[in-house]
Amino acid sequence: LRSLEAPDAPSESDSRPSLAKVQLLAERSGQRHRVAKASQDTKGWLQVRLRVPGGTSLNDLNLFVSEEKAQLQLVVREGAGDQASLFELKEHLPQAARLQSITPARFVASSGHLRLELSWTA
């Protein structure tokens, strides 16, 4: 299991988006499994949860995905300009895996999280 956890409550000085959780899932026999074993699995999903600054609305968010580089870029529109954050996902994937597609992201304003799933194959 490759998982990156952070406390649910952001600090007052934390005004930049951050990775709250990344979990590697696998597909075996057509069913999802909670834990992917990098040495055995050849396809699955990467569940990603990003924490966004408090007071952010859906209209303030732009998400960009590079399947080739296994990167996410989240741009938060602010009054003084845009704030861009780049997140590397390669370290959370099996060594030979490549991202393939993304399902529509879901923004939960009450918790300040943006959730998405990306499929991968090795």
Side-chain angles (χ1 to χ4, degrees):
L1 171 69
R2 293 182 189 154
S3 180
L4 176 65
E5 297 274 354
D8 283 342
S11 67
E12 293 175 3
S13 64
D14 187 19
S15 62
R16 295 192 55 82
S18 61
L19 278 175
K21 183 176 184 179
V22 178
Q23 187 169 26
L24 187 66
L25 305 177
E27 179 182 334
R28 294 185 202 130
S29 304
Q31 295 184 16
R32 286 186 183 203
H33 288 265
R34 298 302 297 168
V35 179
K37 296 180 181 156
S39 62
Q40 297 175 7
D41 297 312
T42 59
K43 63 181 176 176
W45 296 266
L46 193 63
Q47 288 183 332
V48 178
R49 185 169 56 188
L50 298 170
R51 181 178 296 116
V52 298
T56 302
S57 74
L58 181 59
N59 292 333
D60 297 331
L61 301 175
N62 289 304
L63 180 67
F64 303 95
V65 178
S66 171
E67 289 95 349
E68 183 178 320
K69 294 181 181 179
Q71 294 176 334
L72 294 177
Q73 182 181 35
L74 181 65
V75 179
V76 180
R77 268 189 260 141
E78 298 177 335
D82 294 345
Q83 181 183 80
S85 298
L86 187 66
F87 302 99
E88 299 286 342
L89 301 177
K90 197 154 197 73
E91 68 188 66
H92 300 284
L93 293 167
Q95 189 172 7
R98 292 180 51 92
L99 293 178
Q100 295 230 303
S101 64
I102 181 174
T103 60
R106 194 179 99 190
F107 179 58
V108 182
S110 61
S111 67
H113 287 118
L114 184 65
R115 298 175 183 195
L116 55 140
E117 284 189 354
L118 301 110
S119 64
W120 60 268
T121 59

